[in-house]
Amino acid sequence: MTRTLSLAAAALAACLIAWTAVPAAAQDALPPAPYAYRELDDSRQEAAARALMHDLRCVTCQGQSIADSDAPMAGDMRHFVRTRIAAGQNAEEVRGWLEQRYGDYISYRPSFGRATWPLFVLPVLLGLIALVIILRRVGGTRSAVQ
Amino acid sequence: MMAELGLAALWLAAALAILQLVTGIWSMRAPELVAITGAVRPVTILQAVFAALSFTVLLYLFAVTDLSVELVAANSHTAKPLLYKITGAWGNHEGSMLLWVTVMALSGALIAGVEYRLPERTMQAVLACQGFVAAGFYAFLLFSSNPFARLPQPLAEGNGLNPLLQDVGLALHPPTLYIGYVGLSVAFSFAVGALVTRQVTPDFARAMRPWVLGAWVFLTLGITAGSYWAYYELGWGGWWFWDPVENASLMPWLAATALLHSVSVLAARDALRTWTLMLGVLAFSMSMLGTFLVRSGILTSVHAFAVDPQRGTFILILLAIYIGGALLLFALRAGAVAEGERFSVASRESALVVNNVLLTAILGIVLLGTLYPLLAEAFGERVSVGPPYFNLVGAIFALPMLAVLAIGPLLRWRRDSLQRISRPLIVLAAVGGAALVLTAVLFGVGFLPLAGLVLAAVLAVASVMPLSGRNLRRVPLAVWGMVAAHLGVAAALFGMASESAFTSERLVALAPGQATQVGPWQVRFAAVQPVAGPNWTALEARLEARIGTGAPVVLTPQARSFWAPAQQTTEAALATSWNGQLYAVMGGAADDGRWQIRLWWKPFVTFIWYGGGLIALGGALSLAGRVADDLKRRRVRARGARRRAQMVPA
C-alpha cells in the first residue's frame, strides 16, 4: 500500500518537474548572451574579468565557479562581468555590486563581516595555538637535554 | 536469488563484526580462556570473507544488470560497456558504502592474519575496536542503505549512470581512495588499543608504521588520480577546486602525513607518544567525517549525488560514538602515557614537531573552511568559502611548513646545531635567491606562485641532500623513500605554482580552416565530424596544434550526447609534452557556422601528478624497506632462538 502511494507520489513529482521544466527549457533555448562565450578584445581586461569569474559562484549549479560552468545563468553572469569590466569598472566594484545583489554566497572569497568573522579570527587563534605548542614542545625541553 | 545471497552475507558479516567485538573484549578480560582468545583472529578473517562475498555479489548483479534490484535499476543500463557496468557498482551511495565496509573488513583481516608484533592484549583491543567500528557501518548499510533491495516489478531498462562517471577514473579513483581512507581505521584501532592497554613503545610504533604507510600510499594515489580525473573529465582545466568532497579526502591525508612522521619519531626515538596516538585517532576520524560529508547529502557539490537526511543523522550518530568515544578515551588515558624522550631545539625531532603542528593547523583551516558554510547556513546565513580563501590562509601555514621540510632531514636526531649544517643551508639559500631573482625578473608572477616556485626549487635540492656523501648502494630503502617523497612534494609544488602563474587561456569561435594562438601553440581548427560510441553520439572537432613550424599534434575534443540518461558532456582532448599540456574543449555552435573552442596551455601542469606519484612511490619504497628490515630481524631472531635451543642439550 505505502509502496503504491510512494510510487504515485513519485509519478506526481515527476510530472511537476516536467511541468516546471518547460519554461526553464524554453529559457535555455535562448542563445547565450554575447559575452558568455566570447573574450574581451583587450587582453588585460579579459584577464581581470577571468580572474573575477573564477571567484564567483554559479548559483544554479553550486560547487562550480561561473568560469567553469556551462549553465545558462553562469553564461549570463560571465556576460555581465565582461561587459562591466569592459565599461571600465574594476573587478572589486563588480564583485561588490554582485555581493550586494546576491549576498555573500556569490563570492568564493569571503569578506570580513558579521557572518564571516570566525573565518578570519579562528585561523589567527589556530596560529597562536600552533606557536604555543611548538614553543612548549621544542623550547621547554632544552634544559632537559643540556 | 543472488541479491538475497549478498544480503545474507552482509548480515552474517555484521553479526561476525559484533562477535569480533565481544570475543576481543572477553579475551582481554579472561586471557586464560583459550577458546575465546583463539577465536578473535579467525572471527575477524571470517567477517572479511563474508563482506567480500557480499561485495562480489553486488559486482555480479551490476555486471549482469539485474534490473529487479532497485540499486541496479536506478544506476545502471544494459547498453553500458561492461567496465562501466562493474565500476558503476560503487558509483552510487549504497555500493560505495558497501565498498567502504568491505575495505574495512579486509584491512582488519589483514592485521588479524599477519600482525604478531603487538602484545596480545593490545591486539585483542585493536581487533575489538575494528569490529566495533565496522558493526556501526554495517548497521548503517542494513538499516538505511540496503544495496540489495528488490523492486516489486523488475524494470525493462535501468536509469543509467551519470556520464561523467563513465570513465576509467571511476575504476581507479574510488577503490584506491577507499583503501587509503578506510585503511586508516587500522591506525585508529591501534591507537585505541594502545590507549586501552597503555602500552606505547617504539615496538608498538614499528608495528603501526607499515599500516599507516600503506594506507597513506593508497590515499596519496587516490587523491592524485581523483585530481587528474576531475581535471580531464570536467572540462574546465582545473585540477583542484577546494570542493568539500575534495577537502574530505585531503583532511585524512594531512592527518595521516603528520601521523606518518610522528610514528617514525616514536619508533626511532621513543618520543611524541601521546601526539602519535592523537594523530592516529584524528586521521581516521577525518575519514569518517569525510564519509559523513559526502554520504549524508549535506553538501551541495559537484560530487554529491545522493540526498537523504535520514542517512545523515545515522552517520552523525556513528561519528559521535566513534570519534567522541576515542577522544574521551584519549582524554582519560593520555595523562597516563608519558611523553617519552626529550630533544633539543635543533634536532630532527623538533623539525618534525614543527611540521606536525603546521600540518595539523592546515587541517584545521581546511576543516574550518569546509564546515563553516554548513554552520552558517544552519544560522540562516549563506556564505561561500572557496579557492581564494583556502589558497591564502592555507599558504600562511604551508609556506613555513615547506621551509622546515627542506631543513629537517638534514638535522640529526636528538641534538644537533645549525652550525653543523651551515654549508647545505648556504647552498639552499643561494638556490632560493637565484630562483627568486630569476622568476621575479623574467616573469611578473603573483606572490603565492612566486613563493611556490622558489620553495619548489629549494625543496628539490634539499630533498636529495640527505644522499650526498653517502655510498648510494648502502643507503637504506626507507631513506630513498623519504628522498623520493620529498622530491615529489617539490615537483607537485612546482606544477601547482607553474600552472597558476603561467597558464594561458583562449576562448574563440572558429570556422573550419581558421586558426588561433594559445601560448606557444598555433591551433588550426581543421574539421568537425560526427562520431558514435556504445551509448553516446558526439560531434568531434579535429584540431591541429603546432609550435612554430614543428610537426602538428592532432587533438579531437568531443561534445557528447548520452541517451541513458539523456545528458550532454564535453570530452576534453589533451596533448602532453615534457613541458606542459595543451587542453582543448569543444563548445557549442554559433549561428554563423563557427564553433566555440576553448584552449589552455598549461606549462608543467603534469608535474602536479608526477609529484603525487613520486610521493606515493616514496611511501611504497619506505614501506618495502621497513617490511624487509622487519623480516630480516625476525629471521635473525629465529636463528638465534634455534641456536639457543640446540645448545641446551649440550
Side-chain angles (χ1 to χ4, degrees), chain B residues 535-573:
Chain B
N535 52 350
W536 47 265
T537 55
L539 285 169
E540 183 179 278
R542 188 185 155 85
L543 303 173
E544 293 163 2
R546 66 179 80 206
I547 299 180
T549 54
V553 182
V554 175
L555 292 100
T556 51
Q558 299 173 340
R560 284 189 185 172
S561 298
F562 284 78
W563 60 76
Q567 198 170 332
Q568 316 280 327
T569 67
T570 54
E571 277 298 294

Side-chain angles (χ1 to χ4, degrees), chain B residues 387-599:
Chain B
Y389 178 83
F390 286 108
N391 288 343
L392 183 68
V393 184
I396 292 171
F397 293 91
L399 295 178
M401 193 270 288
L402 292 166
V404 177
L405 163 52
I407 302 165
L410 304 174
L411 289 166
R412 285 186 185 145
W413 291 113
R414 197 165 166 274
R415 216 175 152 183
D416 203 346
S417 70
L418 290 176
Q419 279 96 1
R420 193 188 65 81
I421 58 162
S422 58
R423 268 192 31 211
L425 285 183
I426 291 168
V427 171
L428 291 181
V431 169
L436 182 68
V437 170
L438 216 66
T439 39
V441 171
L442 290 185
F443 323 96
V445 297
F447 172 71
L448 279 185
L450 183 71
L453 288 169
V454 170
L455 264 175
V458 172
L459 209 50
V461 175
S463 61
V464 294
M465 276 182 169
L467 295 177
S468 78
R470 292 175 81 154
N471 179 350
L472 290 187
R473 262 177 297 176
R474 306 199 58 168
V475 171
L477 262 184
V479 173
W480 281 110
M482 176 186 79
V483 168
H486 290 173
L487 193 60
V489 173
L493 185 65
F494 172 63
M496 294 168 193
S498 168
E499 195 266 352
S500 150
F502 305 127
T503 293
S504 22
E505 180 180 352
R506 288 293 288 170
L507 172 64
V508 281
L510 295 178
Q514 288 183 324
T516 186
Q517 187 81 25
V518 58
W521 294 88
Q522 200 210 24
V523 182
R524 197 177 87 89
F525 178 31
V528 61
Q529 60 181 28
V531 287
N535 52 350
W536 47 265
T537 55
L539 285 169
E540 183 179 278
R542 188 185 155 85
L543 303 173
E544 293 163 2
R546 66 179 80 206
I547 299 180
T549 54
V553 182
V554 175
L555 292 100
T556 51
Q558 299 173 340
R560 284 189 185 172
S561 298
F562 284 78
W563 60 76
Q567 198 170 332
Q568 316 280 327
T569 67
T570 54
E571 277 298 294
L574 292 139
T576 308
S577 62
W578 65 273
N579 62 344
Q581 267 179 335
L582 181 62
Y583 188 116
V585 175
M586 186 189 183
D591 36 8
D592 54 359
R594 296 188 302 168
W595 296 81
Q596 293 292 348
I597 307 282
R598 207 171 173 187
L599 299 162

Side-chain angles (χ1 to χ4, degrees), chain A residues 12-73:
Chain A
L12 191 67
C15 291
L16 273 174
I17 288 165
W19 175 72
T20 48
V22 173
Q27 206 172 37
D28 291 5
L30 286 173
Y35 280 100
Y37 289 101
R38 201 174 133 196
E39 294 180 346
L40 293 172
D41 295 331
D42 182 335
S43 64
R44 283 181 69 177
Q45 286 187 336
E46 174 66 18
R50 219 172 247 159
L52 178 58
M53 291 186 299
H54 276 288
D55 279 7
L56 294 175
R57 182 175 207 139
C58 164
V59 285
T60 46
C61 25
Q62 292 171 341
Q64 271 180 310
S65 77
I66 61 167
D68 312 324
S69 169
D70 279 326
M73 174 74 182

Side-chain angles (χ1 to χ4, degrees), chain B residues 4 6 29 62 70 72 96 144 171 181 234 243 265 302 340 380 399 401 444 480 512 551 580 650:
Chain B
E4 284 68 32
R29 293 274 149 124
F62 270 87
E70 197 178 346
V72 179
S96 72
S144 83
Y181 226 53
L234 293 180
D243 179 278
V265 175
V302 285
L399 295 178
M401 193 270 288
W480 281 110

Side-chain angles (χ1 to χ4, degrees), chain B residues 147-202:
Chain B
F148 298 106
R150 294 267 194 187
L151 286 169
Q153 292 276 304
L155 293 188
E157 191 44 273
N159 273 335
L161 176 69
N162 185 329
L164 288 176
L165 297 180
Q166 298 192 27
D167 186 273
V168 280
L170 185 63
L172 300 173
H173 166 61
T176 36
L177 193 67
Y178 271 31
I179 292 173
Y181 226 53
V182 186
L184 287 175
S185 65
V186 173
F188 178 86
S189 298
F190 268 52
V192 169
L195 282 170
V196 169
T197 60
R198 296 187 184 86
Q199 297 225 350
V200 191
T201 59

